[in-house]
Amino acid sequence: MTSQIILPRIMQVGAGASLQLPAVLAKIGCKKPLIVTDPMMVQLGYSESIQDSLKAEGIESDVFADTLPEPTVASILPGVEKATADSYDCIVALGGGSPIDSAKAISILAKFGGEMRDYRFPRDVTEQGLPVIAVPTTAGTGTEVTRFTIITDEERGEKMLCVGIGFMPVAALVDYKLTMSLPPRITADTGIDAMTHALEAYVSKKANPYSDSQALAALKLIGPNLREVYHNGKNEKAREEMMLGSTLAGVAFSAASVALVHGMSRPIGAFFHVPHGLSNAMLLPDVTAFSIPAAPERYAQAARALGFASEQDDDAMANRKLLIELRALNDELSVPTPEEFGIERQVFMDRCETMAEQALASGSPGNNPITPTIAEMVEIYQGLWDARGSDSESVAAE
């Protein structure tokens, strides 16, 4: 049995990698880029710096900076219009996961037209849109190296998972220097997202030897550094290792897919506008407790790679420590409960079954060690409001 591995044609990794953009454009034969980003990247001067580096090499560029933190069908349409209004030959995606996901969608729609829902899973998008050069500014989503994008259909209240080689960037410039100014909240949310990518890739039913190698490497980088970058964002070594861990986690889940946490997380974001990494963090301890009985060896090895358990711990002890540490991490990184985030309990409860149905339809729960029923997902959602911890930890460790 073989596994298909899809990567960007060019990966530039390390301090100053973003400054290599003009050379990368020359290598792929592009001369007129549209920079897709967000207002914060403009405010911080990142987009201007990119434009200056291009101009120094005689490359003119334009900027579309109106992407949203959680991109929607409506939010990407102005970008599509701008991309089709002139003869741009590529898109430079600058920012966190949302601008890069927006850029991926824009690249396909600008070339092939249609509506975003035409490209949602289970369709396998093989069309090659405008080439995307991804320049991530957060250590979290890993979308610079994945064949996925997430766009919310606001009419249906659904975060659409779109999958295929057509969404893989042609190049990824992974420059940890761009993460040095991230505030603690974004650092935490994106960091937990990266950790979840690596963990879910490792326990996924689609895991393979290649994805395993990348997932374990990512966990070993993220585990010792996530708390550090949250408390001390100026630690360059920790920022560098988190950025590399995030990218390796992206490689891992692009090859093995994500699982139940992501499947259940997307509807929370769609209905209640919870940032993606934050909704992952809310779910991660309870989903892990639910899933451990079907893959105790895998979860135990992940706990050891993260540094949450030692090599001397047997699987039961390693898994007990994993659950304790995931909850402690959420506490230390000030991850709110749905109630603390401001969601009304009854509104949330009324949405649980619909969210579970949407989660199952996304396909991600089917990759989980245990494929849950709708009722089991509803129970997990409802459990986010209740006291939790000791019982599930005891069961999972047995």
Side-chain angles (χ1 to χ4, degrees):
M1 187 173 179
T2 65
S3 302
Q4 185 178 71
I5 311 301
I6 303 168
L7 295 168
R9 284 163 52 189
I10 298 172
M11 289 183 64
Q12 199 85 29
V13 181
S18 59
L19 302 178
Q20 300 299 311
L21 179 59
V24 169
L25 291 180
K27 286 179 181 178
I28 63 176
C30 292
K31 299 179 180 179
K32 190 172 182 180
L34 174 64
I35 299 171
V36 172
T37 188
D38 61 31
M40 183 56 68
M41 294 297 102
V42 174
Q43 183 180 329
L44 292 173
Y46 287 4
S47 60
E48 183 180 7
S49 177
I50 291 285
Q51 284 192 289
D52 288 346
S53 70
L54 292 171
K55 195 168 186 178
E57 299 298 325
I59 301 172
E60 294 297 326
S61 61
D62 289 318
V63 174
F64 173 74
D66 294 331
T67 63
L68 294 181
E70 299 288 329
T72 66
V73 169
S75 75
I76 64 173
L77 289 181
V80 174
E81 292 171 3
K82 188 171 183 66
T84 54
D86 210 338
S87 54
Y88 302 107
D89 58 9
C90 66
I91 294 176
V92 174
L94 172 68
S98 295
I100 297 177
D101 276 1
S102 297
K104 291 179 176 184
I106 290 168
S107 80
I108 293 292
L109 292 178
K111 188 167 181 180
F112 298 104
E115 298 181 356
M116 201 63 221
R117 66 184 57 157
D118 298 333
Y119 300 93
R120 70 192 290 273
F121 180 84
R123 178 172 175 177
D124 182 17
V125 180
T126 57
E127 297 92 330
Q128 298 297 303
L130 294 175
V132 173
I133 302 91
V135 186
T137 60
T138 63
T141 69
T143 192
E144 70 273 8
V145 290
T146 76
R147 55 191 175 89
F148 307 111
T149 193
I150 306 289
I151 305 294
T152 297
D153 183 342
E154 57 270 63
E155 289 184 12
R156 300 181 181 181
E158 177 188 1
K159 276 195 171 186
M160 296 183 293
L161 173 64
C162 304
V163 180
I165 190 173
F167 294 115
M168 176 64 72
V170 170
L173 311 186
V174 184
D175 186 348
Y176 77 88
K177 289 282 191 178
L178 300 181
T179 71
M180 295 300 297
S181 61
L182 287 178
R185 181 72 268 144
I186 295 177
T187 296
D189 295 348
T190 54
I192 294 176
D193 192 21
M195 185 177 72
T196 306
H197 290 152
L199 179 59
E200 291 210 294
Y202 190 63
V203 302
S204 169
K205 289 176 182 174
K206 294 181 179 178
N208 55 74
Y210 181 84
S211 65
D212 284 352
S213 69
Q214 306 303 295
L216 288 172
L219 291 169
K220 289 175 182 177
L221 289 165
I222 294 167
N225 290 296
L226 179 50
R227 286 179 168 93
E228 174 62 20
V229 292
Y230 176 72
H231 293 296
N232 181 16
K234 299 303 180 185
N235 185 328
E236 285 208 24
K237 185 177 187 324
R239 287 286 193 186
E240 182 175 19
E241 293 193 354
M242 279 298 298
M243 192 68 158
L244 180 57
S246 171
T247 296
L248 294 179
V251 171
F253 89 80
S254 190
S257 296
V258 286
L260 183 55
V261 174
H262 275 76
M264 293 184 66
S265 173
R266 295 185 201 106
I268 294 177
F271 283 117
F272 301 106
H273 309 292
V274 179
H276 175 66
L278 201 57
S279 55
N280 277 349
M282 291 174 178
L283 286 159
L284 183 58
D286 287 6
V287 170
T288 301
F290 170 79
S291 305
I292 281 175
E297 299 88 357
R298 286 251 151 188
Y299 279 103
Q301 191 55 36
R304 297 181 189 106
L306 283 163
F308 294 172
S310 73
E311 293 299 327
Q312 287 69 45
D313 290 325
D314 63 19
D315 288 353
M317 180 57 70
N319 286 326
R320 182 182 293 274
K321 289 182 175 180
L322 175 61
L323 291 172
I324 291 171
E325 283 297 309
L326 290 179
R327 300 190 194 287
L329 186 65
N330 276 3
D331 288 342
E332 187 170 340
L333 272 54
S334 299
V335 173
T337 64
E339 184 175 20
E340 291 166 344
F341 186 79
I343 300 172
E344 292 184 25
R345 180 188 177 99
Q346 194 55 51
V347 176
F348 187 89
M349 294 300 174
D350 289 345
R351 295 284 192 183
C352 282
E353 187 153 352
T354 299
M355 290 195 296
E357 290 168 354
Q358 288 188 359
L360 194 62
S362 75
S364 297
N367 304 323
N368 205 57
I370 302 173
T371 301
T373 64
I374 295 291
E376 286 171 329
M377 283 189 281
V378 167
E379 186 175 354
I380 292 171
Y381 278 132
Q382 292 174 341
L384 298 181
W385 291 84
D386 303 323
R388 59 194 192 270
S390 58
D391 289 345
S392 60
E393 287 162 17
S394 297
V395 171
E398 289 174 359

